[in-house]
Amino acid sequence: MRIEMPKYMERVGGLRIFGVQKVLELTGGKSEGPNIGLPGIVNVSRGDLEDLESKMTIIVPVKNENPKVLEGVLSGIPHESFVIIVSNSTRNTIDHYRVEMDTVFHYYRLTRRPFIMVHQRDPVLSDALPEAGYPYLIGNDGLVRNGKGEGMVLGLLLAKAIGREYVGFIDSDNYIPGAVNEYVDIYAAAFSMANSPYIMVRICWPYKTKFVGKRFYFRRRGRVSEITNKYMNLLLARVTRFESGVIKTSNAGEHAMTLKLAERIGYAGGFSIEPYELVYMLEEYSGVKKPRFTDVVKKTLEIYQVEPRNPHIHEERSEEHIPNMLKSSLSTIYHSMLADDELRKRIENELIIRGALKPGESIPEPRRLPIIKNVDAVKILKLLESSSESFIYAE
Ligand code: GDD
């Protein structure tokens, strides 16, 4: 994969936030010959990508997606990467989760690719999580709460138990397996160019592609992400005192990190998770306070943002979904210790204009989920293996 080196970088305390880099070629050819050493370009060979991908776990959160689309997503994930599917699909008269299990298991028979699959609301988790030292995902009904963030953190705990060096996320509603494949290659390419054990890479979709009338329409980014990026950059400016537009991936569902970093950042429930990771890293590692893990600051935490070539074509949700998603997303910035009154006022106004907040109504805090560093993740895996009905571990 041939990819631009970042042209721009913001250095904030222990963080290096790189500007968006573009993929130049999906397959960059041999890393030798006349192309080698072109300034500002890096070419990661297929062999190097495959080597990194074999050290990766990919977590796929699922909620009531079309099983054919899910199978397409799996087909795009490189064979050597370990897959963890965390599903919150409904289990009523039609047991959607059972349909997913059948689909994935049939697919396994043909491909023999290793995977784990679990239902987010599995009752075994009600005991397993507190016993392992992480009760924070459990809601009032005694089960893991509904929410994308909760599913992703459960996936991270299982990835921690598996112990591979890198962990990434891929949404399950992506119609283009080739795009999925490119995202994982991008994760690997960024890991190969990094200089720290604490790395995050976030996919920056250039367009959200929709079919309008008789042709495709390429809209510049998503409705929620455009707004969240604006306020995330203003939050960053509260630390640096210089406004910048460096952050373009506040809502990136597709992102990956080293397991070492995944164990050292906090998370949030629902659709707050992706922006909250950034807020957490700014609060903890930008030098405004003494970090809990000084090694991260010493070695620096690198955040890469990469623009792929494939179009992002995913399930279009209803318009009603948008204001709530925006509120969950902006609440992470609004309630940050770095935000001041002026920024909070602007966020309130934005949410009111977008119909996500009534005047005088307060913005709920994001459901914060603590770091997973000290959790006995193997215990969760063992308890699931011994007594769960929804759990599959296929090697
Ligand atoms: N396990 C699990 N649990 N998965 C979930 C849940 C849940 O409660 N809710 C949603 N998902 C899965 C969906 O099946 C899909 O694969 C992915 O999470 C994204 O959910 P969507 O409902 O499709 O959201 P979107 O694509 O409109 O949202 C975009 O913006 C969000 C806000 O930041 C995506 O970029 C999301 O990844 C992002 O979180």
Side-chain angles (χ1 to χ4, degrees):
M1 170 169 274
R2 194 176 297 266
I3 192 165
E4 285 175 346
M5 292 288 278
K7 295 192 187 79
Y8 181 77
M9 192 246 311
E10 286 273 347
R11 184 75 154 95
V12 200
L15 296 174
R16 272 196 205 114
I17 309 173
F18 295 104
V20 172
Q21 302 160 247
K22 276 190 183 161
V23 169
L24 298 171
E25 282 183 317
L26 295 175
T27 306
K30 297 200 175 73
S31 318
E32 294 140 19
N35 287 330
I36 196 164
L38 282 180
I41 310 289
V42 49
N43 186 21
V44 189
S45 73
R46 178 90 339 249
D48 285 350
L49 292 177
E50 281 173 5
D51 185 39
L52 281 146
E53 284 159 359
S54 70
K55 297 176 187 154
M56 228 182 261
T57 301
I58 297 291
I59 298 165
V60 182
V62 190
K63 188 170 180 189
N64 297 332
E65 302 299 348
N66 184 323
K68 291 224 176 339
V69 179
L70 172 62
E71 191 183 312
V73 167
L74 297 179
S75 75
I77 300 173
H79 182 87
E80 302 296 339
S81 303
F82 191 90
V83 171
I84 297 180
I85 300 166
V86 182
S87 173
N88 193 17
S89 296
T90 38
R91 310 201 70 178
N92 301 326
T93 325
I94 303 280
D95 185 344
H96 285 282
Y97 183 64
R98 176 72 43 203
V99 176
E100 285 163 9
M101 276 171 121
D102 285 354
T103 306
V104 175
F105 208 73
H106 178 70
Y107 188 68
Y108 171 76
R109 277 199 215 104
L110 303 173
T111 59
R112 294 283 151 179
R113 54 158 326 130
F115 77 95
I116 279 181
M117 183 165 186
V118 69
H119 196 274
Q120 186 165 332
R121 309 265 294 158
D122 190 313
V124 173
L125 292 165
S126 310
D127 293 329
L129 286 166
E131 274 184 42
Y134 204 81
Y136 315 105
L137 295 176
I138 309 286
N140 294 334
D141 61 2
L143 301 172
V144 170
R145 280 201 196 84
N146 294 309
K148 186 188 182 214
E150 285 78 356
M152 287 165 65
V153 173
L154 177 56
L156 280 175
L157 290 168
L158 297 174
K160 179 172 157 69
I162 298 295
R164 290 199 179 189
E165 200 175 335
Y166 306 102
V167 55
F169 298 98
I170 298 283
D171 282 352
S172 56
D173 60 344
N174 195 319
Y175 279 88
I176 312 289
V180 170
N181 193 256
E182 185 185 4
Y183 299 158
V184 183
D185 277 355
I186 288 174
Y187 298 162
F191 291 136
S192 90
M193 70 176 82
N195 292 306
S196 160
Y198 305 107
I199 313 157
M200 179 177 279
V201 44
R202 301 173 74 98
I203 300 291
C204 180
W205 308 324
Y207 305 103
K208 270 210 171 180
T209 313
K210 280 180 78 167
F211 202 72
V212 181
K214 287 189 179 160
R215 39 177 83 96
F216 284 122
Y217 181 76
F218 297 87
R219 195 183 48 226
R220 202 73 192 142
R221 300 219 170 77
R223 292 161 283 193
V224 175
S225 47
E226 203 67 55
I227 302 166
T228 313
N229 288 339
K230 175 173 145 193
Y231 291 100
M232 193 65 80
N233 282 310
L234 287 171
L235 190 73
L236 172 64
R238 295 305 182 267
V239 184
T240 60
R241 318 307 306 164
F242 280 83
E243 287 191 5
S244 106
V246 70
I247 299 175
K248 304 262 195 239
T249 54
S250 300
N251 296 99
E254 273 78 19
H255 63 286
M257 41 192 157
T258 51
L259 184 60
K260 271 188 132 180
L261 176 61
E263 290 177 320
R264 288 165 178 79
I265 61 171
Y267 301 94
F271 288 112
S272 298
I273 183 162
E274 292 95 356
Y276 184 73
E277 287 171 0
L278 286 174
V279 169
Y280 185 92
M281 290 187 281
L282 286 173
E283 289 178 348
E284 187 69 17
Y285 298 121
S286 68
V288 292
K289 67 168 178 175
K290 191 172 180 320
R292 187 160 161 196
F293 301 103
T294 45
D295 193 53
V296 178
V297 174
K298 214 166 97 197
K299 306 224 167 94
T300 75
L301 192 171
E302 300 189 333
I303 303 173
Y304 292 84
Q305 307 178 93
V306 183
E307 192 177 291
R309 285 280 156 181
N310 276 277
H312 190 79
I313 302 182
H314 72 148
E315 199 59 63
E316 272 295 322
R317 309 286 164 202
S318 64
E319 286 291 321
E320 297 120 55
H321 181 64
I322 304 294
N324 274 337
M325 203 176 249
L326 186 64
K327 188 154 68 181
S328 305
S329 188
L330 291 185
S331 73
T332 62
I333 302 170
Y334 183 89
H335 287 289
S336 167
M337 59 176 272
L338 303 174
D340 55 24
D341 288 346
E342 196 231 332
L343 183 55
R344 291 203 174 104
K345 192 77 220 152
R346 286 176 72 170
I347 292 174
E348 271 169 19
N349 289 341
E350 184 78 58
L351 287 172
I352 291 169
I353 292 165
R354 306 273 164 190
L357 195 75
K358 294 195 186 81
E361 194 187 338
S362 55
I363 302 173
E365 297 228 6
R367 246 187 343 263
R368 294 186 183 81
L369 300 167
I371 58 158
I372 61 168
K373 171 99 179 32
N374 298 323
V375 183
D376 184 353
V378 173
K379 186 173 239 174
I380 303 172
L381 192 68
K382 282 198 175 140
L383 285 169
L384 283 170
E385 266 185 302
S386 64
S387 39
S388 156
E389 165 268 333
S390 82
F391 185 73
I392 308 180
Y393 188 165
E395 276 181 288

